Amino acid sequence: MLDQLKANNRAWAKRMVSADGDFFKRLERQQAPSYLWIGCSDSRVPANEIVGLDPGELFVHRNVGNLAPPQDANYLSVLQFAIDVLKVQHVMVVGHYGCGGVSAAVDGKRRGLVDHWLHPIREVGHTHRHELDAIPEQRARLDRLCELNVLRQVRNVASDVFVQDAWARGQAIQVHGWVYSLSNGLVKDLNTTIGRPEELERLG
Ligand code: CO
């Protein structure tokens, strides 16, 4: 199986070079992506492919449930590097419908460490329990929780000191909330883009 992957890799590298002889040499010198993607680890949500971007164009952070927890050193390091060093202009939090992390957060089963990791999603569910309880169909209820989780993580990113400091010094950064649909491959923009501190305050 792994031999196949290595053969795939050689074929891919060859294709890239035949399309653009300097491709890897250019990437080696510098990466200058304009976007930071914060998405779910789910294998069905491959960041670059979905938005048609080549290597070097998208800085990517993925974890189970596309979370941006304010105490997570991994996420915070990625965010700071993206903003302070790479100077990305857009941060997109990208959830997806049918997310196993989101359903595991609220199904009441014990799984161990991941229950701690998913706790923020449980909190989002609790905060919006009246809206969610009013949705009779379970799949639709979970899909709405996927959206609410993205909205919450967008607020986390926009509230972060790295983003706040960047705005204060005049650096343009927009934080977007998207949800990807496994069933048709399309991204839905939740129209929750935050590009200034005032827009964050308006969300409350
Ligand atoms: Co997921």
Side-chain angles (χ1 to χ4, degrees):
M1 268 170 86
L2 289 184
D3 284 343
Q4 183 60 53
L5 300 192
K6 290 170 190 165
N8 290 351
N9 166 249
R10 285 190 296 273
W12 172 78
K14 205 171 157 185
R15 266 199 318 277
M16 297 305 279
V17 170
S18 66
D20 174 358
D22 287 330
F23 184 75
F24 291 111
K25 285 191 183 65
R26 215 169 42 243
L27 279 186
E28 196 181 15
R29 279 195 298 276
Q30 193 195 3
Q31 68 157 339
S34 306
Y35 315 94
L36 166 62
W37 171 290
I38 299 174
C40 185
S41 298
D42 193 302
S43 63
R44 299 165 294 179
V45 193
N48 282 67
E49 277 178 73
I50 287 172
V51 287
L53 290 180
D54 277 335
E57 297 184 310
L58 190 64
F59 199 56
V60 175
H61 179 71
R62 290 168 70 179
N63 59 45
V64 176
N66 42 270
L67 296 179
Q71 277 81 33
D72 180 46
N74 184 357
Y75 147 70
L76 290 173
S77 305
V78 168
L79 183 66
Q80 182 176 27
F81 188 77
I83 289 171
D84 292 354
V85 180
L86 299 174
K87 305 217 179 318
V88 300
Q89 288 145 32
H90 300 275
V91 179
M92 51 278 255
V93 176
V94 188
H96 66 102
Y97 297 120
C99 181
V102 168
S103 51
V106 293
D107 69 4
K109 291 186 192 141
R110 285 278 161 272
R111 291 179 177 80
L113 181 59
V114 75
D115 296 325
H116 291 275
W117 175 253
L118 296 174
H119 185 72
I121 302 178
R122 224 157 17 245
E123 283 190 325
V124 169
H126 185 73
T127 303
H128 297 275
R129 61 191 178 282
H130 298 304
E131 178 190 343
L132 292 166
D133 286 349
I135 303 172
E137 210 264 310
Q138 194 204 15
R139 177 62 198 250
R141 198 161 57 240
L142 287 171
D143 282 350
R144 180 58 184 152
L145 182 54
C146 289
E147 293 179 351
L148 292 168
N149 179 44
V150 167
L151 296 174
R152 176 69 233 193
Q153 306 314 316
V154 165
R155 269 172 53 195
N156 280 1
V157 174
S159 324
D160 193 275
V161 285
F162 302 135
V163 173
Q164 296 280 323
D165 288 352
W167 281 337
R169 59 179 183 256
Q171 191 177 333
I173 298 169
Q174 291 194 321
V175 187
H176 311 270
W178 292 359
V179 184
Y180 174 75
S181 171
L182 297 173
S183 60
N184 62 13
L186 296 176
V187 157
K188 175 180 168 186
D189 190 337
L190 296 178
N191 293 319
T192 185
T193 297
I194 304 175
R196 289 178 301 145
E198 306 87 81
E199 289 167 352
L200 177 61
E201 279 159 30
R202 230 183 13 239
L203 286 176

